[in-house]
Amino acid sequence: MTVHKDHIDLKGFLIMAGLTWLWGFSYPAIKVANLGFSPIFNSFLRSTVASALGVAYCLGIKEPLFHRDIRLFHGFMIGLLFGLEFVCVYLGLLYTDAARAIILVNCSPFVVAAGAFLLLKERLGPARVIGLILAFIGVCLVFQGKPRSWSLQMLRGDLLALTAAFLWGATTIYIKKYLAHQVKPIHTFLYQLVFSAPINLVCAYILEPRWLLDISAVVLAAFFYTSVIVAFFTYLTWFKLIHIYPVADLSVFTFLTPAFGVFTGALFLKEQLTAGLLLGLVLVCGGIYLTNRQPARVGLKPGLDEQP
């Protein structure tokens, strides 16, 4: 039985810190992998490899792979949302910098906050409203902080990243509303990967005439990282977490992801860090924190297990 908790403890904090670092580094890795595979086909391969590992894991723990009721439909829906999200992420990274994309994609907690308010009846207090305003200003600054390499193509990538943010937030809310207490974490994880793969393949067939570009050892290493480490290991861990902890409490930690992503993009891809980008990063990260920050709980004694 999954134990449900009403706050983030020290263990959850440490796991989320590790996940956000791995997610931040994944954006530069995707750009490297896109040098060898066309972006959407790259996303299809990633989902396929992670799906195979997920199926093997499920069989290894003797869990049935699919349900035969309405939960299968909900599984298809999160796979559809997830697949379209990563079509936008991978295609967007073809046009824009990893540092810009990771800030914009990680605006998803604001979608989660709004969706939780409208659909899950979670309170939208003053801190969350201020967080939403800060994030909006931060996104505007990111768009204004144009690097020397800026072009209309980069704007296309930025808009795709924002679309991915909406789809990611919608996926999280959908899972929490329809599947979080109805299926085990492994099924949530498996559904979003298995059903996203054919979505990505169809999009690749329609939009990309050439799938294999310039395969190299570095490209394969980057692909291994994005498919095995990120798409399998970290997503399996994430979906276990959202079955245990409050989704808004988990989302607050995603402010670390764009910070790690901007740093690794500058370090490994030599991307330019403009003043607008850095100020936008600060405001978006602050907005994420405020939007998902929970008020103090009456009757709890502060400690490491209550105050990560």
Side-chain angles (χ1 to χ4, degrees), residues 42-61:
N42 187 12
S43 180
F44 160 72
L45 290 178
R46 173 180 181 267
S47 290
T48 301
V49 169
S51 294
L53 293 172
V55 168
Y57 176 84
C58 209
L59 294 175
I61 61 174

PDB file of all heavy atoms in Angstrom, residues 42-61:
ATOM      1  N   ASN A  42      13.634  11.542 -32.264  1.00  0.00           N
ATOM      2  CA  ASN A  42      14.436  11.393 -31.054  1.00  0.00           C
ATOM      3  C   ASN A  42      13.531  11.186 -29.846  1.00  0.00           C
ATOM      4  O   ASN A  42      13.769  10.323 -28.991  1.00  0.00           O
ATOM      5  CB  ASN A  42      15.305  12.645 -30.872  1.00  0.00           C
ATOM      6  CG  ASN A  42      16.290  12.514 -29.732  1.00  0.00           C
ATOM      7  OD1 ASN A  42      16.506  11.444 -29.188  1.00  0.00           O
ATOM      8  ND2 ASN A  42      16.894  13.628 -29.364  1.00  0.00           N
ATOM      9  N   SER A  43      12.456  11.972 -29.770  1.00  0.00           N
ATOM     10  CA  SER A  43      11.497  11.828 -28.676  1.00  0.00           C
ATOM     11  C   SER A  43      10.795  10.476 -28.725  1.00  0.00           C
ATOM     12  O   SER A  43      10.559   9.848 -27.684  1.00  0.00           O
ATOM     13  CB  SER A  43      10.470  12.963 -28.748  1.00  0.00           C
ATOM     14  OG  SER A  43       9.526  12.877 -27.708  1.00  0.00           O
ATOM     15  N   PHE A  44      10.468  10.018 -29.931  1.00  0.00           N
ATOM     16  CA  PHE A  44       9.855   8.692 -30.089  1.00  0.00           C
ATOM     17  C   PHE A  44      10.790   7.594 -29.594  1.00  0.00           C
ATOM     18  O   PHE A  44      10.364   6.691 -28.854  1.00  0.00           O
ATOM     19  CB  PHE A  44       9.496   8.447 -31.558  1.00  0.00           C
ATOM     20  CG  PHE A  44       9.308   6.996 -31.898  1.00  0.00           C
ATOM     21  CD1 PHE A  44       8.190   6.301 -31.459  1.00  0.00           C
ATOM     22  CD2 PHE A  44      10.257   6.324 -32.658  1.00  0.00           C
ATOM     23  CE1 PHE A  44       8.021   4.950 -31.762  1.00  0.00           C
ATOM     24  CE2 PHE A  44      10.099   4.980 -32.962  1.00  0.00           C
ATOM     25  CZ  PHE A  44       8.984   4.294 -32.515  1.00  0.00           C
ATOM     26  N   LEU A  45      12.055   7.647 -29.990  1.00  0.00           N
ATOM     27  CA  LEU A  45      13.019   6.637 -29.540  1.00  0.00           C
ATOM     28  C   LEU A  45      13.156   6.651 -28.022  1.00  0.00           C
ATOM     29  O   LEU A  45      13.237   5.607 -27.370  1.00  0.00           O
ATOM     30  CB  LEU A  45      14.379   6.887 -30.188  1.00  0.00           C
ATOM     31  CG  LEU A  45      14.503   6.622 -31.689  1.00  0.00           C
ATOM     32  CD1 LEU A  45      15.906   6.976 -32.168  1.00  0.00           C
ATOM     33  CD2 LEU A  45      14.185   5.163 -32.009  1.00  0.00           C
ATOM     34  N   ARG A  46      13.181   7.851 -27.466  1.00  0.00           N
ATOM     35  CA  ARG A  46      13.294   8.003 -26.017  1.00  0.00           C
ATOM     36  C   ARG A  46      12.119   7.340 -25.306  1.00  0.00           C
ATOM     37  O   ARG A  46      12.311   6.572 -24.348  1.00  0.00           O
ATOM     38  CB  ARG A  46      13.338   9.495 -25.691  1.00  0.00           C
ATOM     39  CG  ARG A  46      13.299   9.889 -24.236  1.00  0.00           C
ATOM     40  CD  ARG A  46      13.367  11.407 -24.197  1.00  0.00           C
ATOM     41  NE  ARG A  46      13.364  11.963 -22.877  1.00  0.00           N
ATOM     42  CZ  ARG A  46      12.286  12.367 -22.217  1.00  0.00           C
ATOM     43  NH1 ARG A  46      11.098  12.245 -22.799  1.00  0.00           N
ATOM     44  NH2 ARG A  46      12.376  12.899 -21.018  1.00  0.00           N
ATOM     45  N   SER A  47      10.900   7.606 -25.758  1.00  0.00           N
ATOM     46  CA  SER A  47       9.730   6.995 -25.134  1.00  0.00           C
ATOM     47  C   SER A  47       9.714   5.483 -25.333  1.00  0.00           C
ATOM     48  O   SER A  47       9.300   4.734 -24.439  1.00  0.00           O
ATOM     49  CB  SER A  47       8.447   7.600 -25.713  1.00  0.00           C
ATOM     50  OG  SER A  47       8.273   8.929 -25.292  1.00  0.00           O
ATOM     51  N   THR A  48      10.175   5.024 -26.486  1.00  0.00           N
ATOM     52  CA  THR A  48      10.194   3.592 -26.767  1.00  0.00           C
ATOM     53  C   THR A  48      11.146   2.856 -25.840  1.00  0.00           C
ATOM     54  O   THR A  48      10.811   1.810 -25.264  1.00  0.00           O
ATOM     55  CB  THR A  48      10.580   3.343 -28.231  1.00  0.00           C
ATOM     56  OG1 THR A  48       9.636   3.992 -29.093  1.00  0.00           O
ATOM     57  CG2 THR A  48      10.600   1.849 -28.539  1.00  0.00           C
ATOM     58  N   VAL A  49      12.367   3.386 -25.687  1.00  0.00           N
ATOM     59  CA  VAL A  49      13.351   2.756 -24.800  1.00  0.00           C
ATOM     60  C   VAL A  49      12.848   2.765 -23.363  1.00  0.00           C
ATOM     61  O   VAL A  49      12.897   1.744 -22.658  1.00  0.00           O
ATOM     62  CB  VAL A  49      14.709   3.487 -24.913  1.00  0.00           C
ATOM     63  CG1 VAL A  49      15.664   3.013 -23.810  1.00  0.00           C
ATOM     64  CG2 VAL A  49      15.327   3.260 -26.276  1.00  0.00           C
ATOM     65  N   ALA A  50      12.352   3.913 -22.912  1.00  0.00           N
ATOM     66  CA  ALA A  50      11.858   4.005 -21.538  1.00  0.00           C
ATOM     67  C   ALA A  50      10.647   3.099 -21.325  1.00  0.00           C
ATOM     68  O   ALA A  50      10.489   2.508 -20.250  1.00  0.00           O
ATOM     69  CB  ALA A  50      11.518   5.452 -21.208  1.00  0.00           C
ATOM     70  N   SER A  51       9.784   2.970 -22.353  1.00  0.00           N
ATOM     71  CA  SER A  51       8.621   2.079 -22.254  1.00  0.00           C
ATOM     72  C   SER A  51       9.062   0.632 -22.089  1.00  0.00           C
ATOM     73  O   SER A  51       8.498  -0.108 -21.274  1.00  0.00           O
ATOM     74  CB  SER A  51       7.743   2.213 -23.492  1.00  0.00           C
ATOM     75  OG  SER A  51       7.168   3.485 -23.582  1.00  0.00           O
ATOM     76  N   ALA A  52      10.038   0.213 -22.868  1.00  0.00           N
ATOM     77  CA  ALA A  52      10.536  -1.159 -22.775  1.00  0.00           C
ATOM     78  C   ALA A  52      11.094  -1.446 -21.380  1.00  0.00           C
ATOM     79  O   ALA A  52      10.844  -2.506 -20.795  1.00  0.00           O
ATOM     80  CB  ALA A  52      11.615  -1.399 -23.834  1.00  0.00           C
ATOM     81  N   LEU A  53      11.829  -0.481 -20.845  1.00  0.00           N
ATOM     82  CA  LEU A  53      12.363  -0.645 -19.489  1.00  0.00           C
ATOM     83  C   LEU A  53      11.231  -0.678 -18.468  1.00  0.00           C
ATOM     84  O   LEU A  53      11.275  -1.445 -17.499  1.00  0.00           O
ATOM     85  CB  LEU A  53      13.335   0.487 -19.171  1.00  0.00           C
ATOM     86  CG  LEU A  53      14.641   0.503 -19.979  1.00  0.00           C
ATOM     87  CD1 LEU A  53      15.422   1.777 -19.694  1.00  0.00           C
ATOM     88  CD2 LEU A  53      15.481  -0.729 -19.668  1.00  0.00           C
ATOM     89  N   GLY A  54      10.214   0.145 -18.698  1.00  0.00           N
ATOM     90  CA  GLY A  54       9.070   0.166 -17.795  1.00  0.00           C
ATOM     91  C   GLY A  54       8.301  -1.142 -17.821  1.00  0.00           C
ATOM     92  O   GLY A  54       7.880  -1.642 -16.769  1.00  0.00           O
ATOM     93  N   VAL A  55       8.103  -1.700 -19.005  1.00  0.00           N
ATOM     94  CA  VAL A  55       7.417  -2.992 -19.122  1.00  0.00           C
ATOM     95  C   VAL A  55       8.217  -4.081 -18.412  1.00  0.00           C
ATOM     96  O   VAL A  55       7.659  -4.908 -17.676  1.00  0.00           O
ATOM     97  CB  VAL A  55       7.204  -3.347 -20.606  1.00  0.00           C
ATOM     98  CG1 VAL A  55       6.763  -4.806 -20.748  1.00  0.00           C
ATOM     99  CG2 VAL A  55       6.167  -2.420 -21.232  1.00  0.00           C
ATOM    100  N   ALA A  56       9.538  -4.085 -18.624  1.00  0.00           N
ATOM    101  CA  ALA A  56      10.393  -5.075 -17.959  1.00  0.00           C
ATOM    102  C   ALA A  56      10.317  -4.936 -16.439  1.00  0.00           C
ATOM    103  O   ALA A  56      10.241  -5.930 -15.706  1.00  0.00           O
ATOM    104  CB  ALA A  56      11.836  -4.914 -18.435  1.00  0.00           C
ATOM    105  N   TYR A  57      10.307  -3.696 -15.973  1.00  0.00           N
ATOM    106  CA  TYR A  57      10.196  -3.449 -14.529  1.00  0.00           C
ATOM    107  C   TYR A  57       8.856  -3.957 -13.999  1.00  0.00           C
ATOM    108  O   TYR A  57       8.787  -4.599 -12.950  1.00  0.00           O
ATOM    109  CB  TYR A  57      10.345  -1.955 -14.259  1.00  0.00           C
ATOM    110  CG  TYR A  57      10.158  -1.556 -12.813  1.00  0.00           C
ATOM    111  CD1 TYR A  57      11.206  -1.642 -11.907  1.00  0.00           C
ATOM    112  CD2 TYR A  57       8.913  -1.116 -12.361  1.00  0.00           C
ATOM    113  CE1 TYR A  57      11.026  -1.288 -10.582  1.00  0.00           C
ATOM    114  CE2 TYR A  57       8.727  -0.755 -11.038  1.00  0.00           C
ATOM    115  CZ  TYR A  57       9.790  -0.838 -10.152  1.00  0.00           C
ATOM    116  OH  TYR A  57       9.600  -0.492  -8.840  1.00  0.00           O
ATOM    117  N   CYS A  58       7.800  -3.664 -14.730  1.00  0.00           N
ATOM    118  CA  CYS A  58       6.458  -4.079 -14.311  1.00  0.00           C
ATOM    119  C   CYS A  58       6.351  -5.605 -14.250  1.00  0.00           C
ATOM    120  O   CYS A  58       5.806  -6.165 -13.294  1.00  0.00           O
ATOM    121  CB  CYS A  58       5.437  -3.516 -15.296  1.00  0.00           C
ATOM    122  SG  CYS A  58       3.807  -3.197 -14.590  1.00  0.00           S
ATOM    123  N   LEU A  59       6.875  -6.276 -15.254  1.00  0.00           N
ATOM    124  CA  LEU A  59       6.857  -7.737 -15.260  1.00  0.00           C
ATOM    125  C   LEU A  59       7.724  -8.287 -14.138  1.00  0.00           C
ATOM    126  O   LEU A  59       7.391  -9.312 -13.530  1.00  0.00           O
ATOM    127  CB  LEU A  59       7.342  -8.262 -16.612  1.00  0.00           C
ATOM    128  CG  LEU A  59       6.435  -7.953 -17.816  1.00  0.00           C
ATOM    129  CD1 LEU A  59       7.090  -8.431 -19.109  1.00  0.00           C
ATOM    130  CD2 LEU A  59       5.061  -8.589 -17.645  1.00  0.00           C
ATOM    131  N   GLY A  60       8.839  -7.600 -13.870  1.00  0.00           N
ATOM    132  CA  GLY A  60       9.745  -8.047 -12.821  1.00  0.00           C
ATOM    133  C   GLY A  60       9.120  -8.014 -11.435  1.00  0.00           C
ATOM    134  O   GLY A  60       9.427  -8.859 -10.584  1.00  0.00           O
ATOM    135  N   ILE A  61       8.234  -7.050 -11.194  1.00  0.00           N
ATOM    136  CA  ILE A  61       7.569  -6.979  -9.894  1.00  0.00           C
ATOM    137  C   ILE A  61       6.183  -7.633  -9.940  1.00  0.00           C
ATOM    138  O   ILE A  61       5.393  -7.492  -9.016  1.00  0.00           O
ATOM    139  CB  ILE A  61       7.442  -5.518  -9.413  1.00  0.00           C
ATOM    140  CG1 ILE A  61       6.602  -4.679 -10.381  1.00  0.00           C
ATOM    141  CG2 ILE A  61       8.811  -4.893  -9.233  1.00  0.00           C
ATOM    142  CD1 ILE A  61       6.335  -3.272  -9.890  1.00  0.00           C
TER     143      ILE A  61
END
